[in-house]
Amino acid sequence: MSQAPVRVSPLIKFFRWSLLTVGVGYGAFHQNRLSKKEEKVREIEAQKKAVRDAKLAEEKKISAAAEMRALEELSKPTPKKA
């Protein structure tokens, strides 16, 4: 009871395949362009990370020194009142 498939025009087939090929080519070109752009962004982020890590290490060092001073203050014996 099903009907026979309709024959598609060769012109329509040509345009379908052409558009598919152009789409795949454009996708590859666009992906390549975006990959290069992202690579540059990652390089910049890596440079910023190095600076940020150095800054955090310095802050941690200062914080540890302040904590040691505070602990020293707390551990000093208090004079007893007579």
Side-chain angles (χ1 to χ4, degrees):
M1 297 289 143
S2 63
Q3 297 176 348
V6 179
R7 282 191 47 90
V8 179
S9 166
L11 185 64
I12 292 174
K13 284 184 180 180
F14 171 76
F15 281 117
R16 283 181 180 174
W17 283 104
S18 297
L19 289 175
L20 177 65
T21 305
V22 168
V24 169
Y26 172 76
F29 170 76
H30 194 63
Q31 175 67 26
N32 187 26
R33 190 177 64 132
L34 290 177
S35 294
K36 289 179 183 176
K37 191 175 183 180
E38 183 64 24
E39 186 177 318
K40 290 177 184 175
V41 169
R42 285 184 181 159
E43 288 175 7
I44 292 170
E45 288 295 323
Q47 291 171 353
K48 287 182 181 179
K49 184 181 183 310
V51 171
R52 186 174 59 240
D53 288 347
K55 184 177 178 182
L56 285 174
E58 184 64 29
E59 289 176 0
K60 199 173 195 179
K61 183 179 174 182
I62 292 170
S63 175
E67 186 176 352
M68 288 301 292
R69 283 192 301 271
L71 287 174
E72 287 173 358
E73 289 293 322
L74 289 175
S75 65
K76 285 185 181 178
T78 56
K80 294 184 180 181
K81 294 182 180 180

